[in-house]
Amino acid sequence: MGRPGLKNMIGTELIKGYGLGNQLFFYITVRCLAREKNTDFGFVNPEQIGNVFHSNKGMYFMDIDMGKEISRQDMENYNIYHEQDDRLYMGNSVHDMTHGCYISGPDQGLMDVPDNTIVYGNMQSERYFEKYRDEIRQWLHVKEEAESYEYTADDLCIINLRGGEYTSCPELYLDRRYYLNAIRNMKKINPAMRFMVVTEDEVAARKVLPEFEIHHFDMGKDYVTIKNARYLILSNSSFAMVPVMCSTELKYAIAPKYWARHNISDGFWSSEQNIYSFLTYQDKKGRLFSADECQRELDEYKKTSRLYARRNIRPGKVVAFFQNIKRRLIYGWFFSKKILRSFERRTGIIKTYQG
């Protein structure tokens, strides 16, 4: 039963610093929770939607219903629920040693929260929203003047490359080899397939895939270009996931197996929430896996992995010492490959796009 003076509601807070992909996952999960409970939805700081590090124009390409605004003064009247947060502490990076690598799957507790609850978390599991996919397409309907099918074609594959802060993270930033393997897999579908890169970071993209046409239009057109693509090669960025989920054009999409730890995983996912039924996953050798295959592998991994058994446990001083050595070796190899790629571009071994 709701508290006196408040409407029954499920909400979350839109915190400055999150990208559009994270924001839209927060939005759809909260709306789906509220829809399931037949209650209102709302947000603390709703004006933050669409204002991200590379665009501060809001959701100018959608008419998006933000529900009821929850004021900061009213927050104390709501329950607070934090989604289950499981982490692995590993010597892959400063982040993974300090904050841990996020690996959580769906949280039944989140789906069972009572009315008048503000929820926090990652909130990207398909279990939270799969029942309402058709309604989500309506909630996130693109304005007619912003819609575009300019790059919708049966012989064109859009590559979504994430740059920005990823470019200095060896555990996170996808290597050129991932994209080349995915391109080869796409050409098995259509040997005449063309490729075009859509990215928020054209400078980084030209260092990874200089031989292809590369665009950063604006946030809205990047979104609709991905949404309306028939073939996609995805990075491990949440920006593309909601337009892909809302697509009515998509025929086939490849994403990195193990998602945010594709580069270094021994079988864990960062996170399990990013196993989606509508994607095909590619490992470091270019082999392809269905979502069901990935989930079954992960379930077996959880039963046998010594690393997974130590989730949420910070290492002691001796282990941390050796993790630091491992981290430095990973960083050294990562930046050595960057130097090699630069040499290959400058000497013409890797061709550059001539538009």
PDB file of all heavy atoms in Angstrom, residues 154-155 157 182-193 195 230-233 251-254 280 288:
ATOM      1  N   ASP A 154      20.161  -4.118 -47.718  1.00  0.00           N
ATOM      2  CA  ASP A 154      20.487  -5.532 -47.535  1.00  0.00           C
ATOM      3  C   ASP A 154      21.960  -5.836 -47.779  1.00  0.00           C
ATOM      4  O   ASP A 154      22.413  -6.936 -47.436  1.00  0.00           O
ATOM      5  CB  ASP A 154      19.636  -6.391 -48.471  1.00  0.00           C
ATOM      6  CG  ASP A 154      18.199  -6.517 -47.992  1.00  0.00           C
ATOM      7  OD1 ASP A 154      17.978  -6.546 -46.760  1.00  0.00           O
ATOM      8  OD2 ASP A 154      17.294  -6.577 -48.845  1.00  0.00           O
ATOM      9  N   ASP A 155      22.683  -4.886 -48.369  1.00  0.00           N
ATOM     10  CA  ASP A 155      24.108  -5.131 -48.632  1.00  0.00           C
ATOM     11  C   ASP A 155      25.009  -4.180 -47.849  1.00  0.00           C
ATOM     12  O   ASP A 155      26.173  -3.974 -48.200  1.00  0.00           O
ATOM     13  CB  ASP A 155      24.409  -5.004 -50.130  1.00  0.00           C
ATOM     14  CG  ASP A 155      24.219  -3.587 -50.661  1.00  0.00           C
ATOM     15  OD1 ASP A 155      23.522  -2.790 -49.990  1.00  0.00           O
ATOM     16  OD2 ASP A 155      24.764  -3.269 -51.730  1.00  0.00           O
ATOM     17  N   CYS A 157      26.383  -3.232 -43.909  1.00  0.00           N
ATOM     18  CA  CYS A 157      26.524  -3.548 -42.482  1.00  0.00           C
ATOM     19  C   CYS A 157      27.090  -2.327 -41.766  1.00  0.00           C
ATOM     20  O   CYS A 157      28.122  -1.778 -42.173  1.00  0.00           O
ATOM     21  CB  CYS A 157      27.457  -4.742 -42.300  1.00  0.00           C
ATOM     22  SG  CYS A 157      27.798  -5.148 -40.569  1.00  0.00           S
ATOM     23  N   ALA A 182      34.633 -10.146 -37.444  1.00  0.00           N
ATOM     24  CA  ALA A 182      33.194  -9.953 -37.645  1.00  0.00           C
ATOM     25  C   ALA A 182      32.878  -9.619 -39.094  1.00  0.00           C
ATOM     26  O   ALA A 182      31.855 -10.071 -39.644  1.00  0.00           O
ATOM     27  CB  ALA A 182      32.688  -8.844 -36.718  1.00  0.00           C
ATOM     28  N   ILE A 183      33.736  -8.838 -39.730  1.00  0.00           N
ATOM     29  CA  ILE A 183      33.552  -8.526 -41.150  1.00  0.00           C
ATOM     30  C   ILE A 183      33.615  -9.804 -41.990  1.00  0.00           C
ATOM     31  O   ILE A 183      32.788 -10.025 -42.890  1.00  0.00           O
ATOM     32  CB  ILE A 183      34.610  -7.498 -41.608  1.00  0.00           C
ATOM     33  CG1 ILE A 183      34.270  -6.115 -41.027  1.00  0.00           C
ATOM     34  CG2 ILE A 183      34.708  -7.440 -43.129  1.00  0.00           C
ATOM     35  CD1 ILE A 183      35.386  -5.107 -41.127  1.00  0.00           C
ATOM     36  N   ARG A 184      34.574 -10.673 -41.678  1.00  0.00           N
ATOM     37  CA  ARG A 184      34.651 -11.943 -42.400  1.00  0.00           C
ATOM     38  C   ARG A 184      33.390 -12.774 -42.191  1.00  0.00           C
ATOM     39  O   ARG A 184      32.878 -13.409 -43.129  1.00  0.00           O
ATOM     40  CB  ARG A 184      35.893 -12.720 -41.945  1.00  0.00           C
ATOM     41  CG  ARG A 184      37.180 -12.235 -42.585  1.00  0.00           C
ATOM     42  CD  ARG A 184      38.326 -13.202 -42.338  1.00  0.00           C
ATOM     43  NE  ARG A 184      38.807 -13.116 -40.958  1.00  0.00           N
ATOM     44  CZ  ARG A 184      39.767 -12.284 -40.566  1.00  0.00           C
ATOM     45  NH1 ARG A 184      40.344 -11.462 -41.445  1.00  0.00           N
ATOM     46  NH2 ARG A 184      40.159 -12.260 -39.306  1.00  0.00           N
ATOM     47  N   ASN A 185      32.875 -12.770 -40.981  1.00  0.00           N
ATOM     48  CA  ASN A 185      31.642 -13.514 -40.719  1.00  0.00           C
ATOM     49  C   ASN A 185      30.457 -12.920 -41.459  1.00  0.00           C
ATOM     50  O   ASN A 185      29.576 -13.664 -41.944  1.00  0.00           O
ATOM     51  CB  ASN A 185      31.374 -13.570 -39.216  1.00  0.00           C
ATOM     52  CG  ASN A 185      32.236 -14.595 -38.509  1.00  0.00           C
ATOM     53  OD1 ASN A 185      32.466 -15.685 -39.029  1.00  0.00           O
ATOM     54  ND2 ASN A 185      32.724 -14.260 -37.314  1.00  0.00           N
ATOM     55  N   MET A 186      30.386 -11.607 -41.546  1.00  0.00           N
ATOM     56  CA  MET A 186      29.304 -10.967 -42.297  1.00  0.00           C
ATOM     57  C   MET A 186      29.408 -11.288 -43.791  1.00  0.00           C
ATOM     58  O   MET A 186      28.391 -11.463 -44.483  1.00  0.00           O
ATOM     59  CB  MET A 186      29.321  -9.458 -42.073  1.00  0.00           C
ATOM     60  CG  MET A 186      28.717  -9.014 -40.759  1.00  0.00           C
ATOM     61  SD  MET A 186      26.938  -9.342 -40.692  1.00  0.00           S
ATOM     62  CE  MET A 186      26.564  -8.696 -39.048  1.00  0.00           C
ATOM     63  N   LYS A 187      30.616 -11.357 -44.305  1.00  0.00           N
ATOM     64  CA  LYS A 187      30.792 -11.651 -45.731  1.00  0.00           C
ATOM     65  C   LYS A 187      30.403 -13.086 -46.074  1.00  0.00           C
ATOM     66  O   LYS A 187      30.186 -13.410 -47.243  1.00  0.00           O
ATOM     67  CB  LYS A 187      32.229 -11.360 -46.152  1.00  0.00           C
ATOM     68  CG  LYS A 187      32.514  -9.867 -46.278  1.00  0.00           C
ATOM     69  CD  LYS A 187      33.885  -9.598 -46.861  1.00  0.00           C
ATOM     70  CE  LYS A 187      34.074  -8.106 -47.138  1.00  0.00           C
ATOM     71  NZ  LYS A 187      35.393  -7.817 -47.739  1.00  0.00           N
ATOM     72  N   LYS A 188      30.304 -13.949 -45.069  1.00  0.00           N
ATOM     73  CA  LYS A 188      29.785 -15.295 -45.317  1.00  0.00           C
ATOM     74  C   LYS A 188      28.289 -15.243 -45.619  1.00  0.00           C
ATOM     75  O   LYS A 188      27.755 -16.106 -46.315  1.00  0.00           O
ATOM     76  CB  LYS A 188      30.041 -16.190 -44.105  1.00  0.00           C
ATOM     77  CG  LYS A 188      31.515 -16.483 -43.853  1.00  0.00           C
ATOM     78  CD  LYS A 188      31.713 -17.276 -42.558  1.00  0.00           C
ATOM     79  CE  LYS A 188      33.191 -17.487 -42.261  1.00  0.00           C
ATOM     80  NZ  LYS A 188      33.414 -18.182 -40.957  1.00  0.00           N
ATOM     81  N   ILE A 189      27.624 -14.231 -45.097  1.00  0.00           N
ATOM     82  CA  ILE A 189      26.203 -14.024 -45.385  1.00  0.00           C
ATOM     83  C   ILE A 189      26.034 -13.427 -46.770  1.00  0.00           C
ATOM     84  O   ILE A 189      25.184 -13.845 -47.555  1.00  0.00           O
ATOM     85  CB  ILE A 189      25.565 -13.110 -44.320  1.00  0.00           C
ATOM     86  CG1 ILE A 189      25.648 -13.765 -42.940  1.00  0.00           C
ATOM     87  CG2 ILE A 189      24.115 -12.766 -44.668  1.00  0.00           C
ATOM     88  CD1 ILE A 189      25.216 -12.862 -41.806  1.00  0.00           C
ATOM     89  N   ASN A 190      26.871 -12.434 -47.078  1.00  0.00           N
ATOM     90  CA  ASN A 190      26.816 -11.756 -48.369  1.00  0.00           C
ATOM     91  C   ASN A 190      28.229 -11.326 -48.749  1.00  0.00           C
ATOM     92  O   ASN A 190      28.757 -10.377 -48.176  1.00  0.00           O
ATOM     93  CB  ASN A 190      25.888 -10.537 -48.288  1.00  0.00           C
ATOM     94  CG  ASN A 190      25.811  -9.777 -49.610  1.00  0.00           C
ATOM     95  OD1 ASN A 190      26.447 -10.140 -50.596  1.00  0.00           O
ATOM     96  ND2 ASN A 190      25.018  -8.713 -49.630  1.00  0.00           N
ATOM     97  N   PRO A 191      28.857 -12.012 -49.704  1.00  0.00           N
ATOM     98  CA  PRO A 191      30.229 -11.668 -50.089  1.00  0.00           C
ATOM     99  C   PRO A 191      30.378 -10.233 -50.593  1.00  0.00           C
ATOM    100  O   PRO A 191      31.482  -9.686 -50.560  1.00  0.00           O
ATOM    101  CB  PRO A 191      30.539 -12.668 -51.208  1.00  0.00           C
ATOM    102  CG  PRO A 191      29.612 -13.812 -50.964  1.00  0.00           C
ATOM    103  CD  PRO A 191      28.360 -13.205 -50.419  1.00  0.00           C
ATOM    104  N   ALA A 192      29.273  -9.639 -51.016  1.00  0.00           N
ATOM    105  CA  ALA A 192      29.319  -8.264 -51.524  1.00  0.00           C
ATOM    106  C   ALA A 192      28.943  -7.234 -50.458  1.00  0.00           C
ATOM    107  O   ALA A 192      28.727  -6.063 -50.783  1.00  0.00           O
ATOM    108  CB  ALA A 192      28.383  -8.125 -52.725  1.00  0.00           C
ATOM    109  N   MET A 193      28.911  -7.650 -49.216  1.00  0.00           N
ATOM    110  CA  MET A 193      28.512  -6.747 -48.131  1.00  0.00           C
ATOM    111  C   MET A 193      29.446  -5.543 -48.057  1.00  0.00           C
ATOM    112  O   MET A 193      30.664  -5.666 -48.135  1.00  0.00           O
ATOM    113  CB  MET A 193      28.534  -7.482 -46.788  1.00  0.00           C
ATOM    114  CG  MET A 193      27.903  -6.695 -45.634  1.00  0.00           C
ATOM    115  SD  MET A 193      26.110  -6.679 -45.681  1.00  0.00           S
ATOM    116  CE  MET A 193      25.719  -8.309 -45.020  1.00  0.00           C
ATOM    117  N   PHE A 195      30.517  -1.963 -45.780  1.00  0.00           N
ATOM    118  CA  PHE A 195      30.641  -1.663 -44.356  1.00  0.00           C
ATOM    119  C   PHE A 195      30.836  -0.167 -44.139  1.00  0.00           C
ATOM    120  O   PHE A 195      31.532   0.502 -44.905  1.00  0.00           O
ATOM    121  CB  PHE A 195      31.808  -2.440 -43.739  1.00  0.00           C
ATOM    122  CG  PHE A 195      31.633  -3.924 -43.824  1.00  0.00           C
ATOM    123  CD1 PHE A 195      32.080  -4.628 -44.941  1.00  0.00           C
ATOM    124  CD2 PHE A 195      30.988  -4.623 -42.817  1.00  0.00           C
ATOM    125  CE1 PHE A 195      31.897  -5.998 -45.040  1.00  0.00           C
ATOM    126  CE2 PHE A 195      30.800  -5.989 -42.904  1.00  0.00           C
ATOM    127  CZ  PHE A 195      31.264  -6.682 -44.019  1.00  0.00           C
ATOM    128  N   ARG A 230      20.137  -3.219 -41.128  1.00  0.00           N
ATOM    129  CA  ARG A 230      19.732  -4.630 -41.254  1.00  0.00           C
ATOM    130  C   ARG A 230      20.830  -5.575 -40.801  1.00  0.00           C
ATOM    131  O   ARG A 230      20.551  -6.693 -40.383  1.00  0.00           O
ATOM    132  CB  ARG A 230      19.314  -4.904 -42.698  1.00  0.00           C
ATOM    133  CG  ARG A 230      18.015  -4.171 -43.040  1.00  0.00           C
ATOM    134  CD  ARG A 230      17.466  -4.483 -44.393  1.00  0.00           C
ATOM    135  NE  ARG A 230      16.206  -3.778 -44.566  1.00  0.00           N
ATOM    136  CZ  ARG A 230      15.758  -3.306 -45.714  1.00  0.00           C
ATOM    137  NH1 ARG A 230      16.469  -3.476 -46.830  1.00  0.00           N
ATOM    138  NH2 ARG A 230      14.595  -2.677 -45.777  1.00  0.00           N
ATOM    139  N   TYR A 231      22.071  -5.112 -40.884  1.00  0.00           N
ATOM    140  CA  TYR A 231      23.204  -5.912 -40.418  1.00  0.00           C
ATOM    141  C   TYR A 231      24.088  -5.015 -39.560  1.00  0.00           C
ATOM    142  O   TYR A 231      24.359  -3.864 -39.917  1.00  0.00           O
ATOM    143  CB  TYR A 231      23.989  -6.483 -41.603  1.00  0.00           C
ATOM    144  CG  TYR A 231      23.165  -7.456 -42.415  1.00  0.00           C
ATOM    145  CD1 TYR A 231      22.430  -7.020 -43.516  1.00  0.00           C
ATOM    146  CD2 TYR A 231      23.088  -8.802 -42.063  1.00  0.00           C
ATOM    147  CE1 TYR A 231      21.644  -7.901 -44.242  1.00  0.00           C
ATOM    148  CE2 TYR A 231      22.315  -9.687 -42.789  1.00  0.00           C
ATOM    149  CZ  TYR A 231      21.588  -9.237 -43.877  1.00  0.00           C
ATOM    150  OH  TYR A 231      20.813 -10.109 -44.587  1.00  0.00           O
ATOM    151  N   LEU A 232      24.548  -5.563 -38.425  1.00  0.00           N
ATOM    152  CA  LEU A 232      25.296  -4.773 -37.456  1.00  0.00           C
ATOM    153  C   LEU A 232      26.469  -5.556 -36.889  1.00  0.00           C
ATOM    154  O   LEU A 232      26.349  -6.748 -36.596  1.00  0.00           O
ATOM    155  CB  LEU A 232      24.396  -4.365 -36.293  1.00  0.00           C
ATOM    156  CG  LEU A 232      23.423  -3.200 -36.503  1.00  0.00           C
ATOM    157  CD1 LEU A 232      22.368  -3.207 -35.402  1.00  0.00           C
ATOM    158  CD2 LEU A 232      24.171  -1.873 -36.512  1.00  0.00           C
ATOM    159  N   ILE A 233      27.588  -4.863 -36.728  1.00  0.00           N
ATOM    160  CA  ILE A 233      28.701  -5.330 -35.906  1.00  0.00           C
ATOM    161  C   ILE A 233      28.790  -4.360 -34.736  1.00  0.00           C
ATOM    162  O   ILE A 233      29.023  -3.165 -34.937  1.00  0.00           O
ATOM    163  CB  ILE A 233      30.019  -5.371 -36.700  1.00  0.00           C
ATOM    164  CG1 ILE A 233      29.934  -6.403 -37.831  1.00  0.00           C
ATOM    165  CG2 ILE A 233      31.192  -5.685 -35.768  1.00  0.00           C
ATOM    166  CD1 ILE A 233      31.095  -6.347 -38.798  1.00  0.00           C
ATOM    167  N   LYS A 251      18.282  -7.906 -39.258  1.00  0.00           N
ATOM    168  CA  LYS A 251      18.337  -9.297 -39.690  1.00  0.00           C
ATOM    169  C   LYS A 251      19.424 -10.085 -38.959  1.00  0.00           C
ATOM    170  O   LYS A 251      19.248 -11.268 -38.681  1.00  0.00           O
ATOM    171  CB  LYS A 251      18.572  -9.372 -41.202  1.00  0.00           C
ATOM    172  CG  LYS A 251      17.402  -8.813 -42.023  1.00  0.00           C
ATOM    173  CD  LYS A 251      17.624  -9.003 -43.515  1.00  0.00           C
ATOM    174  CE  LYS A 251      16.412  -8.525 -44.302  1.00  0.00           C
ATOM    175  NZ  LYS A 251      16.596  -8.725 -45.772  1.00  0.00           N
ATOM    176  N   TYR A 252      20.545  -9.426 -38.643  1.00  0.00           N
ATOM    177  CA  TYR A 252      21.648 -10.161 -38.016  1.00  0.00           C
ATOM    178  C   TYR A 252      22.592  -9.168 -37.364  1.00  0.00           C
ATOM    179  O   TYR A 252      22.958  -8.152 -37.965  1.00  0.00           O
ATOM    180  CB  TYR A 252      22.398 -10.966 -39.071  1.00  0.00           C
ATOM    181  CG  TYR A 252      23.341 -12.017 -38.517  1.00  0.00           C
ATOM    182  CD1 TYR A 252      22.857 -13.165 -37.906  1.00  0.00           C
ATOM    183  CD2 TYR A 252      24.720 -11.870 -38.623  1.00  0.00           C
ATOM    184  CE1 TYR A 252      23.717 -14.144 -37.416  1.00  0.00           C
ATOM    185  CE2 TYR A 252      25.584 -12.846 -38.142  1.00  0.00           C
ATOM    186  CZ  TYR A 252      25.074 -13.974 -37.532  1.00  0.00           C
ATOM    187  OH  TYR A 252      25.926 -14.932 -37.053  1.00  0.00           O
ATOM    188  N   ALA A 253      22.982  -9.466 -36.129  1.00  0.00           N
ATOM    189  CA  ALA A 253      23.915  -8.598 -35.406  1.00  0.00           C
ATOM    190  C   ALA A 253      24.932  -9.443 -34.663  1.00  0.00           C
ATOM    191  O   ALA A 253      24.576 -10.430 -34.017  1.00  0.00           O
ATOM    192  CB  ALA A 253      23.171  -7.696 -34.430  1.00  0.00           C
ATOM    193  N   ILE A 254      26.199  -9.039 -34.771  1.00  0.00           N
ATOM    194  CA  ILE A 254      27.305  -9.686 -34.067  1.00  0.00           C
ATOM    195  C   ILE A 254      27.772  -8.774 -32.943  1.00  0.00           C
ATOM    196  O   ILE A 254      27.949  -7.573 -33.142  1.00  0.00           O
ATOM    197  CB  ILE A 254      28.472  -9.982 -35.024  1.00  0.00           C
ATOM    198  CG1 ILE A 254      28.059 -11.031 -36.063  1.00  0.00           C
ATOM    199  CG2 ILE A 254      29.708 -10.452 -34.256  1.00  0.00           C
ATOM    200  CD1 ILE A 254      29.109 -11.260 -37.145  1.00  0.00           C
ATOM    201  N   THR A 280      24.067 -12.416 -31.870  1.00  0.00           N
ATOM    202  CA  THR A 280      25.006 -13.522 -32.027  1.00  0.00           C
ATOM    203  C   THR A 280      26.350 -13.036 -31.509  1.00  0.00           C
ATOM    204  O   THR A 280      26.762 -11.902 -31.803  1.00  0.00           O
ATOM    205  CB  THR A 280      25.125 -13.940 -33.503  1.00  0.00           C
ATOM    206  OG1 THR A 280      23.847 -14.410 -33.954  1.00  0.00           O
ATOM    207  CG2 THR A 280      26.155 -15.047 -33.676  1.00  0.00           C
ATOM    208  N   LEU A 288      31.380 -18.057 -33.661  1.00  0.00           N
ATOM    209  CA  LEU A 288      30.088 -17.472 -33.337  1.00  0.00           C
ATOM    210  C   LEU A 288      29.284 -18.380 -32.412  1.00  0.00           C
ATOM    211  O   LEU A 288      29.318 -19.606 -32.538  1.00  0.00           O
ATOM    212  CB  LEU A 288      29.297 -17.193 -34.618  1.00  0.00           C
ATOM    213  CG  LEU A 288      29.957 -16.211 -35.594  1.00  0.00           C
ATOM    214  CD1 LEU A 288      29.141 -16.116 -36.874  1.00  0.00           C
ATOM    215  CD2 LEU A 288      30.122 -14.829 -34.954  1.00  0.00           C
TER     216      LEU A 288
END
